Amino acid sequence: MKIQFLGTSAMQPTKERNLSSILLNYDSENILFDCGEGVQRQMKIAKIKPTRLTRVIISHLHPDHTIGLPGLLYNLYANEYKKTLHIYGPKGIREIVRFFIGFVGKKIKYEIHEIISGTIIKEKKFSVKAIKLDHDIECYGFEFIESDKRKINLNYLKKFGLKQNPILKRLQEGKSITWKGNKIEVDKATKLIKGKKIAFIWDTKLCNNCRKIAKDADLLISESTFIDNLKQKASKYKHLTAKQAAEIAKKSNVKKLILTHISSRYKDGKEILKEAKNIFKNTKVAKDFMEVEI
Ligand SMILES: [Zn+2]
Ligand SMILES: [Zn+2]
């Protein structure tokens, strides 16, 4: 699983940071989380072909998270995008995309999914869950959850004279089997490998759902617009401080924290990093084009 930060700024772009966009590559899926202005150019710089995209998931309809969409759709049209692009977002996403798609003469295949809290994508290998945050318009955070896998213990199966066989598929599906009159228990014959969880907390003030989203995540990517001396402002405009994001990570048993959606007042993000690291050591501040493998 690879995560690429294509934009890490809040509200307005800076010379170093573009507006919010994160690409998650997993298996054959390339999912873009939020679509800040200029995302197609960021993809060009990062040498990512936009036609590889399979889905776009929009957290909320504020312009700094959506204005990249018309350019991106136009780019897909120009590059003869053949797939069906699945676009997810809160109520209103349908109208926005319909308006933007008007520019390209409806020539791309797409499907809109208006989201509410709950599972929004359920595939065999992964699922994505949306959980409502507390922002000044409807906004969601997301859990990307890789499905658990079962690794077969071939040594154990040797005792039963069982080697490669289509019946092993049933063990992989978590079912016990009977082989030549012997019952083979799935828990003995396989090892359960827990799937990874990536949590995304987008624009929000501190709320209980932040911890819910972050719970036991291998990686939490959280907005961190301000530092703690501006916590009144953060609360007023419904954003998080670095301290709050780090506390969420700490209390939710997160393994690694990456902060993004950084206000343009923090040039290199040092203040953000220092404040968060005081509370949660395994923290990084995202930079545009940063890549993380999980
Ligand atoms: Zn924002
Ligand atoms: Zn916002």
Side-chain angles (χ1 to χ4, degrees):
M1 196 166 349
K2 186 161 97 174
I3 287 146
Q4 287 170 283
F5 289 83
L6 296 171
T8 57
S9 185
M11 296 281 289
Q12 44 191 320
T14 66
K15 199 168 139 254
E16 292 78 22
R17 295 182 188 275
N18 205 60
L19 292 168
S20 289
S21 274
I22 298 170
L23 182 69
L24 186 150
N25 165 246
Y26 177 71
D27 206 31
S28 58
E29 293 275 351
N30 285 289
I31 308 175
L32 191 68
F33 285 86
D34 280 355
C35 196
E37 183 184 340
V39 72
Q40 56 167 332
R41 187 159 188 268
Q42 296 294 92
M43 288 177 127
K44 189 111 199 162
I45 297 167
K47 296 191 168 64
I48 299 160
K49 282 197 175 113
T51 48
R52 278 170 45 200
L53 285 182
T54 50
R55 308 173 200 253
V56 178
I57 302 180
I58 301 288
S59 63
H60 66 304
L61 301 183
H62 274 158
D64 57 325
H65 297 252
T66 54
I67 287 298
L69 267 173
L72 180 68
L73 295 170
Y74 193 53
N75 185 308
L76 294 179
Y77 160 65
N79 288 292
E80 297 176 7
Y81 184 69
K82 295 278 189 301
K83 296 188 270 274
T84 298
L85 184 69
H86 291 268
I87 305 171
Y88 305 76
K91 206 171 161 39
I93 187 75
R94 194 176 299 279
E95 288 71 23
I96 284 188
V97 173
R98 267 194 197 147
F99 177 71
F100 290 157
I101 217 105
F103 300 126
V104 298
K106 298 192 174 91
K107 280 180 181 141
I108 317 169
K109 281 188 270 172
Y110 68 97
E111 224 175 274
I112 306 285
H113 307 263
E114 261 183 17
I115 58 176
I116 50 168
S117 291
T119 300
I120 59 166
I121 302 171
K122 179 98 192 102
E123 294 288 343
K124 208 172 163 202
K125 290 186 178 174
F126 72 94
S127 59
V128 178
K129 207 171 156 188
I131 297 178
K132 214 173 204 175
L133 292 166
D134 186 356
H135 199 37
D136 58 353
I137 59 169
E138 190 178 353
C139 182
Y140 293 88
F142 301 97
E143 294 174 50
F144 178 95
I145 304 159
E146 185 187 23
S147 308
D148 296 341
K149 283 181 221 147
R150 282 188 181 270
K151 197 170 174 234
I152 301 222
N153 183 345
L154 285 169
N155 258 342
Y156 179 78
L157 293 180
K158 263 189 202 160
K159 288 185 208 168
F160 302 93
L162 178 56
K163 286 186 198 157
Q164 295 300 342
N165 188 294
I167 201 170
L168 298 186
K169 204 167 167 251
R170 290 181 60 84
L171 287 171
Q172 255 158 347
E173 287 164 355
K175 293 166 196 152
S176 298
I177 56 169
T178 305
W179 174 254
K180 291 184 177 166
N182 294 307
K183 177 127 184 152
I184 302 178
E185 298 288 344
V186 67
D187 291 334
K188 286 181 185 159
T190 63
K191 191 180 165 206
L192 190 69
I193 299 166
K194 193 114 186 67
K196 297 264 169 25
K197 172 176 165 177
I198 318 290
F200 296 85
I201 296 178
W202 287 110
D203 298 15
T204 187
K205 70 183 270 194
L206 192 60
C207 64
N208 284 337
N209 277 353
C210 290
R211 270 207 247 162
K212 215 168 152 182
I213 292 165
K215 195 167 174 11
D216 300 327
D218 294 275
L219 169 64
L220 167 63
I221 298 168
S222 176
E223 78 121 305
S224 170
T225 312
F226 300 108
I227 56 172
D228 202 53
N229 63 3
L230 289 178
K231 72 172 180 216
Q232 307 296 345
K233 195 172 177 136
S235 177
K236 186 177 169 202
Y237 293 102
K238 299 201 168 185
H239 284 294
L240 292 177
T241 66
K243 186 178 172 197
Q244 288 169 334
E247 278 168 354
I248 294 165
K250 192 177 175 184
K251 286 176 187 161
S252 309
N253 191 34
V254 162
K255 290 200 179 80
K256 185 185 173 92
L257 170 66
I258 300 182
L259 300 173
T260 185
H261 199 275
I262 310 294
S263 163
S264 57
R265 54 169 66 69
Y266 310 114
K267 294 277 177 274
D268 53 13
K270 269 189 193 145
E271 308 95 314
I272 296 265
L273 186 65
K274 194 174 164 219
E275 182 172 290
K277 271 200 154 180
N278 270 337
I279 293 154
F280 188 79
K281 217 164 181 295
N282 197 7
T283 303
K284 270 189 178 170
V285 173
K287 287 186 175 126
D288 284 21
F289 308 113
M290 188 171 108
E291 290 184 16
V292 186
E293 301 253 2
I294 290 282

PDB file of all heavy atoms in Angstrom, residues 245-272:
ATOM      1  N   ALA A 245      -4.435  16.747  17.426  1.00  0.00           N
ATOM      2  CA  ALA A 245      -4.248  15.600  16.521  1.00  0.00           C
ATOM      3  C   ALA A 245      -3.348  14.552  17.179  1.00  0.00           C
ATOM      4  O   ALA A 245      -3.611  13.351  17.110  1.00  0.00           O
ATOM      5  CB  ALA A 245      -3.654  16.070  15.200  1.00  0.00           C
ATOM      6  N   ALA A 246      -2.303  15.031  17.858  1.00  0.00           N
ATOM      7  CA  ALA A 246      -1.372  14.100  18.523  1.00  0.00           C
ATOM      8  C   ALA A 246      -2.066  13.388  19.686  1.00  0.00           C
ATOM      9  O   ALA A 246      -1.830  12.201  19.927  1.00  0.00           O
ATOM     10  CB  ALA A 246      -0.147  14.865  19.013  1.00  0.00           C
ATOM     11  N   GLU A 247      -2.921  14.107  20.392  1.00  0.00           N
ATOM     12  CA  GLU A 247      -3.659  13.472  21.505  1.00  0.00           C
ATOM     13  C   GLU A 247      -4.626  12.402  20.986  1.00  0.00           C
ATOM     14  O   GLU A 247      -4.797  11.357  21.600  1.00  0.00           O
ATOM     15  CB  GLU A 247      -4.404  14.539  22.319  1.00  0.00           C
ATOM     16  CG  GLU A 247      -3.481  15.201  23.321  1.00  0.00           C
ATOM     17  CD  GLU A 247      -4.063  16.450  23.972  1.00  0.00           C
ATOM     18  OE1 GLU A 247      -5.167  16.899  23.570  1.00  0.00           O
ATOM     19  OE2 GLU A 247      -3.390  16.989  24.854  1.00  0.00           O
ATOM     20  N   ILE A 248      -5.240  12.700  19.858  1.00  0.00           N
ATOM     21  CA  ILE A 248      -6.131  11.695  19.241  1.00  0.00           C
ATOM     22  C   ILE A 248      -5.313  10.432  18.931  1.00  0.00           C
ATOM     23  O   ILE A 248      -5.714   9.317  19.250  1.00  0.00           O
ATOM     24  CB  ILE A 248      -6.770  12.241  17.933  1.00  0.00           C
ATOM     25  CG1 ILE A 248      -7.721  13.393  18.235  1.00  0.00           C
ATOM     26  CG2 ILE A 248      -7.507  11.126  17.183  1.00  0.00           C
ATOM     27  CD1 ILE A 248      -8.123  14.215  17.002  1.00  0.00           C
ATOM     28  N   ALA A 249      -4.140  10.624  18.317  1.00  0.00           N
ATOM     29  CA  ALA A 249      -3.288   9.473  17.950  1.00  0.00           C
ATOM     30  C   ALA A 249      -2.906   8.674  19.191  1.00  0.00           C
ATOM     31  O   ALA A 249      -2.985   7.445  19.202  1.00  0.00           O
ATOM     32  CB  ALA A 249      -2.045   9.969  17.224  1.00  0.00           C
ATOM     33  N   LYS A 250      -2.521   9.392  20.236  1.00  0.00           N
ATOM     34  CA  LYS A 250      -2.070   8.728  21.466  1.00  0.00           C
ATOM     35  C   LYS A 250      -3.198   7.930  22.121  1.00  0.00           C
ATOM     36  O   LYS A 250      -3.032   6.770  22.491  1.00  0.00           O
ATOM     37  CB  LYS A 250      -1.549   9.789  22.426  1.00  0.00           C
ATOM     38  CG  LYS A 250      -0.793   9.206  23.598  1.00  0.00           C
ATOM     39  CD  LYS A 250      -0.238  10.292  24.465  1.00  0.00           C
ATOM     40  CE  LYS A 250       0.409   9.694  25.684  1.00  0.00           C
ATOM     41  NZ  LYS A 250       0.883  10.744  26.584  1.00  0.00           N
ATOM     42  N   LYS A 251      -4.354   8.554  22.239  1.00  0.00           N
ATOM     43  CA  LYS A 251      -5.474   7.906  22.932  1.00  0.00           C
ATOM     44  C   LYS A 251      -6.111   6.798  22.095  1.00  0.00           C
ATOM     45  O   LYS A 251      -6.868   5.987  22.616  1.00  0.00           O
ATOM     46  CB  LYS A 251      -6.537   8.944  23.292  1.00  0.00           C
ATOM     47  CG  LYS A 251      -6.102   9.829  24.445  1.00  0.00           C
ATOM     48  CD  LYS A 251      -7.122  10.906  24.721  1.00  0.00           C
ATOM     49  CE  LYS A 251      -6.601  11.890  25.749  1.00  0.00           C
ATOM     50  NZ  LYS A 251      -7.341  13.156  25.719  1.00  0.00           N
ATOM     51  N   SER A 252      -5.850   6.792  20.799  1.00  0.00           N
ATOM     52  CA  SER A 252      -6.529   5.820  19.931  1.00  0.00           C
ATOM     53  C   SER A 252      -5.624   4.671  19.519  1.00  0.00           C
ATOM     54  O   SER A 252      -5.962   3.924  18.605  1.00  0.00           O
ATOM     55  CB  SER A 252      -7.062   6.525  18.682  1.00  0.00           C
ATOM     56  OG  SER A 252      -7.814   7.645  19.042  1.00  0.00           O
ATOM     57  N   ASN A 253      -4.456   4.558  20.176  1.00  0.00           N
ATOM     58  CA  ASN A 253      -3.557   3.433  19.903  1.00  0.00           C
ATOM     59  C   ASN A 253      -3.102   3.386  18.439  1.00  0.00           C
ATOM     60  O   ASN A 253      -3.015   2.329  17.826  1.00  0.00           O
ATOM     61  CB  ASN A 253      -4.281   2.122  20.302  1.00  0.00           C
ATOM     62  CG  ASN A 253      -3.355   0.937  20.306  1.00  0.00           C
ATOM     63  OD1 ASN A 253      -2.174   1.081  20.629  1.00  0.00           O
ATOM     64  ND2 ASN A 253      -3.854  -0.222  19.910  1.00  0.00           N
ATOM     65  N   VAL A 254      -2.811   4.560  17.911  1.00  0.00           N
ATOM     66  CA  VAL A 254      -2.352   4.670  16.522  1.00  0.00           C
ATOM     67  C   VAL A 254      -0.858   4.341  16.469  1.00  0.00           C
ATOM     68  O   VAL A 254      -0.120   4.615  17.411  1.00  0.00           O
ATOM     69  CB  VAL A 254      -2.623   6.121  16.039  1.00  0.00           C
ATOM     70  CG1 VAL A 254      -1.817   6.479  14.815  1.00  0.00           C
ATOM     71  CG2 VAL A 254      -4.121   6.317  15.785  1.00  0.00           C
ATOM     72  N   LYS A 255      -0.391   3.744  15.357  1.00  0.00           N
ATOM     73  CA  LYS A 255       1.039   3.416  15.267  1.00  0.00           C
ATOM     74  C   LYS A 255       1.851   4.595  14.725  1.00  0.00           C
ATOM     75  O   LYS A 255       2.954   4.847  15.178  1.00  0.00           O
ATOM     76  CB  LYS A 255       1.234   2.207  14.351  1.00  0.00           C
ATOM     77  CG  LYS A 255       0.718   0.919  14.971  1.00  0.00           C
ATOM     78  CD  LYS A 255       1.360  -0.289  14.288  1.00  0.00           C
ATOM     79  CE  LYS A 255       0.870  -1.570  14.927  1.00  0.00           C
ATOM     80  NZ  LYS A 255      -0.448  -1.971  14.434  1.00  0.00           N
ATOM     81  N   LYS A 256       1.293   5.290  13.740  1.00  0.00           N
ATOM     82  CA  LYS A 256       2.059   6.368  13.107  1.00  0.00           C
ATOM     83  C   LYS A 256       1.106   7.503  12.732  1.00  0.00           C
ATOM     84  O   LYS A 256      -0.014   7.242  12.285  1.00  0.00           O
ATOM     85  CB  LYS A 256       2.723   5.776  11.847  1.00  0.00           C
ATOM     86  CG  LYS A 256       3.656   6.695  11.117  1.00  0.00           C
ATOM     87  CD  LYS A 256       4.127   5.983   9.828  1.00  0.00           C
ATOM     88  CE  LYS A 256       4.923   6.916   8.970  1.00  0.00           C
ATOM     89  NZ  LYS A 256       6.351   6.872   9.216  1.00  0.00           N
ATOM     90  N   LEU A 257       1.573   8.728  12.921  1.00  0.00           N
ATOM     91  CA  LEU A 257       0.731   9.894  12.637  1.00  0.00           C
ATOM     92  C   LEU A 257       1.406  10.779  11.582  1.00  0.00           C
ATOM     93  O   LEU A 257       2.598  11.075  11.697  1.00  0.00           O
ATOM     94  CB  LEU A 257       0.528  10.693  13.936  1.00  0.00           C
ATOM     95  CG  LEU A 257      -0.133  12.070  13.829  1.00  0.00           C
ATOM     96  CD1 LEU A 257      -1.596  11.949  13.382  1.00  0.00           C
ATOM     97  CD2 LEU A 257      -0.075  12.799  15.184  1.00  0.00           C
ATOM     98  N   ILE A 258       0.651  11.173  10.575  1.00  0.00           N
ATOM     99  CA  ILE A 258       1.154  12.168   9.616  1.00  0.00           C
ATOM    100  C   ILE A 258       0.174  13.339   9.593  1.00  0.00           C
ATOM    101  O   ILE A 258      -1.034  13.152   9.412  1.00  0.00           O
ATOM    102  CB  ILE A 258       1.326  11.575   8.200  1.00  0.00           C
ATOM    103  CG1 ILE A 258       2.327  10.413   8.235  1.00  0.00           C
ATOM    104  CG2 ILE A 258       1.806  12.654   7.230  1.00  0.00           C
ATOM    105  CD1 ILE A 258       2.610   9.786   6.887  1.00  0.00           C
ATOM    106  N   LEU A 259       0.717  14.537   9.786  1.00  0.00           N
ATOM    107  CA  LEU A 259      -0.130  15.730   9.830  1.00  0.00           C
ATOM    108  C   LEU A 259      -0.125  16.439   8.487  1.00  0.00           C
ATOM    109  O   LEU A 259       0.918  16.551   7.826  1.00  0.00           O
ATOM    110  CB  LEU A 259       0.387  16.663  10.927  1.00  0.00           C
ATOM    111  CG  LEU A 259       0.389  16.044  12.335  1.00  0.00           C
ATOM    112  CD1 LEU A 259       1.085  16.970  13.325  1.00  0.00           C
ATOM    113  CD2 LEU A 259      -1.026  15.729  12.799  1.00  0.00           C
ATOM    114  N   THR A 260      -1.289  16.908   8.088  1.00  0.00           N
ATOM    115  CA  THR A 260      -1.407  17.615   6.817  1.00  0.00           C
ATOM    116  C   THR A 260      -2.420  18.750   6.975  1.00  0.00           C
ATOM    117  O   THR A 260      -2.859  19.030   8.095  1.00  0.00           O
ATOM    118  CB  THR A 260      -1.797  16.630   5.686  1.00  0.00           C
ATOM    119  OG1 THR A 260      -1.783  17.335   4.438  1.00  0.00           O
ATOM    120  CG2 THR A 260      -3.179  16.019   5.881  1.00  0.00           C
ATOM    121  N   HIS A 261      -2.817  19.415   5.865  1.00  0.00           N
ATOM    122  CA  HIS A 261      -3.752  20.544   5.921  1.00  0.00           C
ATOM    123  C   HIS A 261      -3.178  21.612   6.870  1.00  0.00           C
ATOM    124  O   HIS A 261      -3.769  21.990   7.875  1.00  0.00           O
ATOM    125  CB  HIS A 261      -5.133  20.056   6.389  1.00  0.00           C
ATOM    126  CG  HIS A 261      -6.262  20.988   6.058  1.00  0.00           C
ATOM    127  ND1 HIS A 261      -6.598  22.044   6.867  1.00  0.00           N
ATOM    128  CD2 HIS A 261      -7.138  21.041   5.029  1.00  0.00           C
ATOM    129  CE1 HIS A 261      -7.638  22.680   6.347  1.00  0.00           C
ATOM    130  NE2 HIS A 261      -7.974  22.093   5.228  1.00  0.00           N
ATOM    131  N   ILE A 262      -1.970  22.072   6.507  1.00  0.00           N
ATOM    132  CA  ILE A 262      -1.193  22.974   7.360  1.00  0.00           C
ATOM    133  C   ILE A 262      -1.469  24.428   6.940  1.00  0.00           C
ATOM    134  O   ILE A 262      -1.376  24.748   5.751  1.00  0.00           O
ATOM    135  CB  ILE A 262       0.328  22.674   7.202  1.00  0.00           C
ATOM    136  CG1 ILE A 262       0.616  21.161   7.352  1.00  0.00           C
ATOM    137  CG2 ILE A 262       1.160  23.531   8.134  1.00  0.00           C
ATOM    138  CD1 ILE A 262       0.359  20.567   8.683  1.00  0.00           C
ATOM    139  N   SER A 263      -1.750  25.276   7.903  1.00  0.00           N
ATOM    140  CA  SER A 263      -1.978  26.696   7.602  1.00  0.00           C
ATOM    141  C   SER A 263      -0.722  27.317   6.992  1.00  0.00           C
ATOM    142  O   SER A 263       0.406  26.982   7.370  1.00  0.00           O
ATOM    143  CB  SER A 263      -2.346  27.433   8.898  1.00  0.00           C
ATOM    144  OG  SER A 263      -2.190  28.825   8.708  1.00  0.00           O
ATOM    145  N   SER A 264      -0.929  28.265   6.062  1.00  0.00           N
ATOM    146  CA  SER A 264       0.209  28.880   5.356  1.00  0.00           C
ATOM    147  C   SER A 264       1.098  29.699   6.305  1.00  0.00           C
ATOM    148  O   SER A 264       2.222  30.052   5.941  1.00  0.00           O
ATOM    149  CB  SER A 264      -0.311  29.769   4.230  1.00  0.00           C
ATOM    150  OG  SER A 264      -1.192  30.737   4.756  1.00  0.00           O
ATOM    151  N   ARG A 265       0.613  29.958   7.541  1.00  0.00           N
ATOM    152  CA  ARG A 265       1.449  30.720   8.479  1.00  0.00           C
ATOM    153  C   ARG A 265       2.630  29.896   8.988  1.00  0.00           C
ATOM    154  O   ARG A 265       3.600  30.441   9.489  1.00  0.00           O
ATOM    155  CB  ARG A 265       0.641  31.278   9.650  1.00  0.00           C
ATOM    156  CG  ARG A 265      -0.154  30.229  10.391  1.00  0.00           C
ATOM    157  CD  ARG A 265      -0.737  30.743  11.705  1.00  0.00           C
ATOM    158  NE  ARG A 265      -1.752  31.776  11.600  1.00  0.00           N
ATOM    159  CZ  ARG A 265      -2.993  31.645  11.126  1.00  0.00           C
ATOM    160  NH1 ARG A 265      -3.375  30.497  10.611  1.00  0.00           N
ATOM    161  NH2 ARG A 265      -3.847  32.636  11.153  1.00  0.00           N
ATOM    162  N   TYR A 266       2.553  28.562   8.885  1.00  0.00           N
ATOM    163  CA  TYR A 266       3.667  27.715   9.339  1.00  0.00           C
ATOM    164  C   TYR A 266       4.470  27.267   8.123  1.00  0.00           C
ATOM    165  O   TYR A 266       4.143  26.281   7.480  1.00  0.00           O
ATOM    166  CB  TYR A 266       3.141  26.493  10.099  1.00  0.00           C
ATOM    167  CG  TYR A 266       2.143  26.862  11.170  1.00  0.00           C
ATOM    168  CD1 TYR A 266       0.814  26.471  11.066  1.00  0.00           C
ATOM    169  CD2 TYR A 266       2.523  27.628  12.267  1.00  0.00           C
ATOM    170  CE1 TYR A 266      -0.113  26.822  12.032  1.00  0.00           C
ATOM    171  CE2 TYR A 266       1.600  27.990  13.232  1.00  0.00           C
ATOM    172  CZ  TYR A 266       0.284  27.587  13.103  1.00  0.00           C
ATOM    173  OH  TYR A 266      -0.625  27.948  14.051  1.00  0.00           O
ATOM    174  N   LYS A 267       5.503  28.006   7.838  1.00  0.00           N
ATOM    175  CA  LYS A 267       6.232  27.818   6.581  1.00  0.00           C
ATOM    176  C   LYS A 267       6.735  26.380   6.375  1.00  0.00           C
ATOM    177  O   LYS A 267       6.374  25.711   5.435  1.00  0.00           O
ATOM    178  CB  LYS A 267       7.411  28.794   6.498  1.00  0.00           C
ATOM    179  CG  LYS A 267       6.960  30.247   6.404  1.00  0.00           C
ATOM    180  CD  LYS A 267       6.606  30.634   4.969  1.00  0.00           C
ATOM    181  CE  LYS A 267       6.100  32.039   4.852  1.00  0.00           C
ATOM    182  NZ  LYS A 267       4.660  32.193   5.090  1.00  0.00           N
ATOM    183  N   ASP A 268       7.625  25.923   7.299  1.00  0.00           N
ATOM    184  CA  ASP A 268       8.186  24.586   7.082  1.00  0.00           C
ATOM    185  C   ASP A 268       7.559  23.532   8.001  1.00  0.00           C
ATOM    186  O   ASP A 268       7.981  22.386   8.007  1.00  0.00           O
ATOM    187  CB  ASP A 268       9.710  24.619   7.247  1.00  0.00           C
ATOM    188  CG  ASP A 268      10.113  25.233   8.571  1.00  0.00           C
ATOM    189  OD1 ASP A 268       9.223  25.401   9.440  1.00  0.00           O
ATOM    190  OD2 ASP A 268      11.292  25.548   8.753  1.00  0.00           O
ATOM    191  N   GLY A 269       6.576  23.942   8.795  1.00  0.00           N
ATOM    192  CA  GLY A 269       5.865  22.976   9.632  1.00  0.00           C
ATOM    193  C   GLY A 269       6.603  22.575  10.904  1.00  0.00           C
ATOM    194  O   GLY A 269       6.172  21.669  11.618  1.00  0.00           O
ATOM    195  N   LYS A 270       7.736  23.257  11.193  1.00  0.00           N
ATOM    196  CA  LYS A 270       8.539  22.869  12.377  1.00  0.00           C
ATOM    197  C   LYS A 270       7.758  23.008  13.678  1.00  0.00           C
ATOM    198  O   LYS A 270       7.850  22.158  14.569  1.00  0.00           O
ATOM    199  CB  LYS A 270       9.811  23.724  12.448  1.00  0.00           C
ATOM    200  CG  LYS A 270      10.979  23.076  11.726  1.00  0.00           C
ATOM    201  CD  LYS A 270      12.266  23.827  11.999  1.00  0.00           C
ATOM    202  CE  LYS A 270      13.335  23.367  11.020  1.00  0.00           C
ATOM    203  NZ  LYS A 270      14.230  24.443  10.638  1.00  0.00           N
ATOM    204  N   GLU A 271       6.986  24.112  13.798  1.00  0.00           N
ATOM    205  CA  GLU A 271       6.209  24.338  15.036  1.00  0.00           C
ATOM    206  C   GLU A 271       5.167  23.242  15.211  1.00  0.00           C
ATOM    207  O   GLU A 271       4.933  22.766  16.324  1.00  0.00           O
ATOM    208  CB  GLU A 271       5.467  25.689  14.999  1.00  0.00           C
ATOM    209  CG  GLU A 271       6.312  26.893  14.658  1.00  0.00           C
ATOM    210  CD  GLU A 271       6.268  27.250  13.179  1.00  0.00           C
ATOM    211  OE1 GLU A 271       6.403  26.331  12.347  1.00  0.00           O
ATOM    212  OE2 GLU A 271       6.130  28.443  12.868  1.00  0.00           O
ATOM    213  N   ILE A 272       4.560  22.861  14.090  1.00  0.00           N
ATOM    214  CA  ILE A 272       3.538  21.809  14.103  1.00  0.00           C
ATOM    215  C   ILE A 272       4.169  20.502  14.595  1.00  0.00           C
ATOM    216  O   ILE A 272       3.648  19.824  15.486  1.00  0.00           O
ATOM    217  CB  ILE A 272       2.958  21.614  12.673  1.00  0.00           C
ATOM    218  CG1 ILE A 272       2.232  22.872  12.202  1.00  0.00           C
ATOM    219  CG2 ILE A 272       2.115  20.352  12.566  1.00  0.00           C
ATOM    220  CD1 ILE A 272       0.756  22.927  12.406  1.00  0.00           C
TER     221      ILE A 272
END
